[in-house]
Amino acid sequence: MIEKIETLLDEIKSLSANDEKEVEALRIKYLSKKGVINDLMTDFRSVPASDKREIGMKLNELKNAAQEKINSLRENVRCHDENACALDLTCTPYPVKLGSRHPLSLVKQEIIDIFARLGFAMADGPEVEDDWHVFSSMNFPEDHPARDMQDTFFVEQHPDILLRTHTSSVQSRVMEHSQPPIRVICPGRVFRNEVISARAHCFFHQVEGLYVDRDVSFTDLKQVLLLFAQEMFGKDTKIRLRPSYFPFTEPSAEMDISCDICGGKGCSLCKGTGWVEILGCGMVDPAVLDANGIDSTQFKGYAFGMGVERIANLKYKIKDLRLFSENDLRFLEEFTAAN
Ligand code: DAH
């Protein structure tokens, strides 16, 4: 009988259950009137008097072990039931539910990683900026529409202080403190006075790039951007540069990538053109170099700036910008696998 009890003790130690039903089934098997332990109690009556003490103690041990095990299993399955846990402050916090990284952080990190491999360092600047760094040092004329109240959030009673409208301000912050070679990317949040809709928001994210050195050419810029596009969107991605205008670059261009939804044939995303725009770029205007303390007769540079939301939209086919800032878990949890 001792052997039988020992075997049962081992068996009980290794019991497990997934829900209350399974716990109840175990209780019935071991502890109910018709259960295994009660059967042993019946057998116990016919044990010789000389063995009664030893076997009686073992039997008690078995009964207590079974009771404790069933109690702890019950506690455990209750704690995994979310509704019960919400109210039970004594419940164990385990397993801890892991969050996932925000899609914009994922995309920003991917952009940073690609340029870091090309030797670009990181640079940072303030979100609340002055007019000089955002506009004047970037060669914006006094009457440029971007300075207008409709686009820019100014700090009340301080017409010179504003929320930066682009990360190009970090270009100026970097150049005023360093001399070439300069090779930086500047990720950050920017603000514009826009009505919030699926396609526009009052804040979004950009990554700025700046390279200043002695012999920097437009070809260098094009090659770096091609490499970026292929790393980000796949080896078959093509790029095209269209002439454009920015006050701080001359010449300036906008870059499109071949539409990866239709493979360049034309669809609703690329509006039938086979191309989608992803960034602005150009050769740093000599006036910008000079305004920021770099001798434009000695040095040249290229710069580019892209919207992180734009890249994320294309990469993950997200149509509504507002999803990025609503913190809806149903949206955010879709990116768990990408973490
Ligand atoms: N600052 C521009 C914007 O917010 C983007 C940009 C365009 C940045 C061209 C650049 C550039 O550095 O060269 O729209």
Side-chain angles (χ1 to χ4, degrees):
M1 191 157 176
I2 288 276
E3 262 171 36
K4 206 168 177 185
I5 296 174
E6 296 281 7
T7 321
L8 276 172
L9 269 171
D10 283 344
E11 191 176 310
I12 280 166
K13 262 188 220 150
S14 59
L15 289 182
S16 66
N18 293 318
D19 53 34
E20 294 234 19
K21 258 192 190 163
E22 289 185 22
V23 178
E24 183 57 12
L26 291 175
R27 190 196 65 79
I28 291 170
K29 180 173 174 195
Y30 291 99
L31 290 170
S32 69
K33 270 201 179 138
K34 290 182 183 161
V36 185
I37 296 179
N38 233 15
D39 286 349
L40 281 176
M41 292 290 187
T42 316
D43 297 347
F44 180 65
R45 283 190 215 129
S46 47
V47 164
S50 57
D51 295 342
K52 269 214 157 51
R53 195 183 133 80
E54 191 196 356
I55 296 184
M57 277 167 62
K58 257 294 177 245
L59 210 48
N60 260 344
E61 187 188 332
L62 175 67
K63 200 171 170 185
N64 291 338
Q67 191 64 61
E68 260 172 43
K69 184 74 190 186
I70 301 281
N71 287 350
S72 87
L73 286 177
R74 181 161 290 141
E75 178 111 335
N76 237 349
V77 294
R78 277 199 191 138
C79 286
H80 287 103
D81 175 347
E82 273 181 24
N83 295 329
C85 248
L87 295 171
D88 183 358
L89 299 179
T90 64
C91 229
T92 165
Y94 297 100
V96 174
K97 200 166 179 229
L98 281 186
S100 54
R101 268 195 270 171
H102 192 280
L104 290 179
S105 301
L106 291 172
V107 170
K108 183 181 81 176
Q109 196 52 52
E110 209 173 328
I111 299 171
I112 293 171
D113 287 347
I114 294 170
F115 285 106
R117 289 201 289 276
L118 293 170
F120 283 77
M122 292 265 283
D124 203 2
E127 291 177 352
V128 182
E129 258 293 7
D130 51 36
D131 177 280
W132 168 258
H133 290 97
V134 178
F135 296 129
S136 300
S137 69
M138 286 286 114
N139 200 34
F140 278 77
E142 265 315 312
D143 53 357
H144 195 282
R147 293 173 181 241
D148 200 291
M149 285 297 256
Q150 265 134 42
D151 280 318
T152 309
F153 287 115
F154 288 91
V155 172
E156 249 172 1
Q157 283 147 16
H158 295 277
D160 189 45
I161 308 293
L162 46 102
L163 300 185
R164 67 180 177 195
T165 53
H166 58 178
T167 44
S168 302
S169 54
V170 188
Q171 286 192 30
S172 167
R173 291 259 166 209
V174 172
M175 286 190 273
E176 71 189 2
H177 290 302
S178 37
Q179 284 297 311
I182 293 171
R183 188 158 38 187
V184 288
I185 49 164
C186 330
R189 193 157 46 163
V190 301
F191 307 83
R192 286 186 200 173
N193 195 354
E194 301 251 14
V195 176
I196 297 171
S197 71
R199 299 167 60 87
H201 213 293
C202 57
F203 74 86
F204 55 99
H205 301 78
Q206 290 187 330
V207 176
E208 190 82 12
L210 174 70
Y211 179 35
V212 186
D213 208 339
R214 275 183 203 283
D215 295 308
V216 180
S217 70
F218 201 91
T219 318
D220 298 332
L221 170 65
K222 196 174 167 190
Q223 189 58 37
V224 161
L225 293 180
L226 173 66
L227 194 135
F228 165 72
Q230 294 186 336
E231 290 278 299
M232 195 75 193
F233 295 101
K235 283 277 163 272
D236 297 329
T237 308
K238 295 183 184 59
I239 62 166
R240 107 178 155 176
L241 292 164
R242 281 178 290 105
S244 183
Y245 171 77
F246 299 102
F248 33 90
T249 42
E250 180 57 36
S252 305
E254 275 171 318
M255 185 175 102
D256 299 338
I257 56 165
S258 48
C259 178
D260 72 338
I261 291 198
C262 62
K265 283 191 210 95
C267 66
S268 63
L269 181 89
C270 59
K271 299 193 190 85
T273 62
W275 296 94
V276 282
E277 186 205 320
I278 65 160
L279 55 80
C281 61
M283 299 305 290
V284 180
D285 194 305
V288 171
L289 294 176
D290 290 330
N292 290 287
I294 290 177
D295 184 351
S296 65
T297 61
Q298 301 286 315
F299 299 104
K300 283 191 206 169
Y302 67 65
F304 54 86
M306 66 187 90
V308 181
E309 279 81 351
R310 176 91 184 130
I311 307 279
N313 283 347
L314 294 172
K315 207 168 161 70
Y316 294 117
K317 322 280 186 277
I318 299 162
K319 288 208 178 109
D320 193 326
L321 263 184
R322 290 169 292 196
L323 284 167
F324 289 122
S325 49
E326 279 169 351
N327 284 341
D328 185 334
L329 284 180
R330 289 168 302 177
F331 170 69
L332 297 177
E333 281 170 356
E334 287 191 28
F335 299 90
T336 313
N339 273 261

